[in-house]
């Protein structure tokens, strides 16, 4: 198995783990039952998978000999958004991981608001990345070949990701206001 296919399978596992993590957090937040042990367990598994995915992605994009020949003269918007969202995820992930502790120790002020904004930006970047990358992973592993099915899947996933992202941002902010 080459690194492209391995990364395709890891990507699908990342999405499955992400959706599980998101739904668990939404349910526990809506019930006002925060369980840091379960949250961290999901987060550590997801984090490990993301590190593997990120490493394989960098190898595939920057480490392959053929990628050095092609300079993406015609870089399309999806590829740009995929890479930009990946960069934003890397930059904002530490704040997302530490958000609960930061909010716990800060009064409702500038630090509190900035933390919520950065956390919301992180969630948007994650769901943009997933909605753009999911069909590419299926193409890479050979499950999806029809372009029309790819377009339909992209649209369905965009709706799912928009709902999950919006609900995550709203539920997180509302819960944080109630908690702190």
């Amino acid at each position: 198995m080459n690194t492209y296919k391995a990364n395709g399978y890891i990507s699908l596992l990342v999405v499955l783990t992400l959706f599980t993590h998101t739904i668990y957090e939404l349910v526990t937040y809506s019930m006002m039952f925060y369980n840091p042990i379960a949250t961290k367990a999901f987060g550590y598994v997801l984090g490990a998978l993301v590190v593997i995915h990120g490493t394989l992605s960098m190898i595939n994009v920057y480490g392959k000999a053929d990628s050095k020949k092609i300079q993406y003269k015609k870089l399309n918007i999806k590829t740009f958004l995929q890479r930009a969202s990946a960069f934003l995820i890397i930059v904002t992930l530490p704040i997302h991981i530490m958000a609960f502790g930061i909010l716990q120790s800060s009064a409702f002020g500038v630090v509190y608001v900035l933390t919520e904004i950065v956390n919301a930006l992180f969630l948007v970047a994650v769901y943009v990345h997933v909605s753009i990358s999911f069909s590419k992973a299926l193409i890479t592993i050979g499950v999806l070949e029809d372009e029309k099915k790819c377009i339909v899947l992209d649209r369905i996933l965009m709706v799912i990701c928009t709902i999950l992202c919006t609900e995550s941002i709203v539920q997180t902010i509302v819960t944080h206001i109630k908690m702190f």
Side-chain angles (χ1 to χ4, degrees):
M1 180 182 309
N2 64 34
T3 57
Y4 292 102
K5 279 197 176 196
N7 200 26
Y9 286 112
I10 292 292
S11 299
L12 297 177
L13 197 53
V14 166
V15 171
L16 177 66
T17 309
L18 170 69
F19 284 179
T20 304
H21 177 63
T22 300
I23 291 167
Y24 173 79
E25 293 301 315
L26 288 173
V27 168
T28 59
Y29 271 19
S30 67
M31 295 170 35
M32 288 302 293
F33 175 73
Y34 177 74
N35 183 347
I37 295 169
T39 295
K40 287 181 182 180
F42 278 126
Y44 290 146
V45 171
L46 184 56
L49 290 171
V50 167
V51 167
I52 294 167
H53 168 65
T55 303
L56 287 173
S57 294
M58 285 188 266
I59 289 169
N60 291 337
V61 171
Y62 302 111
K64 299 287 186 175
D66 60 334
S67 69
K68 293 175 184 162
K69 294 176 191 169
I70 301 169
Q71 295 298 318
Y72 285 103
K73 294 176 185 169
K74 190 177 175 185
L75 185 67
N76 68 36
I77 190 69
K78 283 178 114 179
T79 303
F80 173 78
L81 287 173
Q82 186 179 22
R83 291 181 183 172
S85 62
F87 176 76
L88 276 174
I89 291 167
I90 291 167
V91 170
T92 57
L93 180 61
I95 298 297
H96 177 73
I97 291 169
M98 299 181 301
F100 194 82
I102 294 169
L103 296 172
Q104 229 175 1
S105 64
S106 68
F108 192 82
V110 175
V111 173
Y112 186 95
V113 172
L114 287 175
T115 302
E116 293 288 14
I117 290 170
V118 171
N119 200 42
L121 181 62
F122 169 78
L123 292 169
V124 169
V126 166
Y127 285 105
V128 165
H129 192 78
V130 168
S131 67
I132 291 170
S133 305
F134 189 77
S135 62
K136 289 183 178 185
L138 292 177
I139 291 168
T140 300
I141 63 173
V143 173
L144 187 62
E145 294 176 4
D146 183 8
E147 192 173 327
K148 287 182 182 180
K149 288 180 183 176
C150 184
I151 291 168
V152 170
L153 180 63
D154 282 346
R155 289 180 181 162
I156 291 169
L157 208 58
M158 182 62 75
V159 169
I160 292 169
C161 286
T162 301
I163 291 167
L164 284 175
C165 183
T166 304
E167 184 61 27
S168 294
I169 291 169
V170 170
Q171 190 68 35
T172 300
I173 292 172
V174 168
T175 303
H176 289 165
I177 289 171
K178 288 178 184 176
M179 288 175 136
F180 307 116

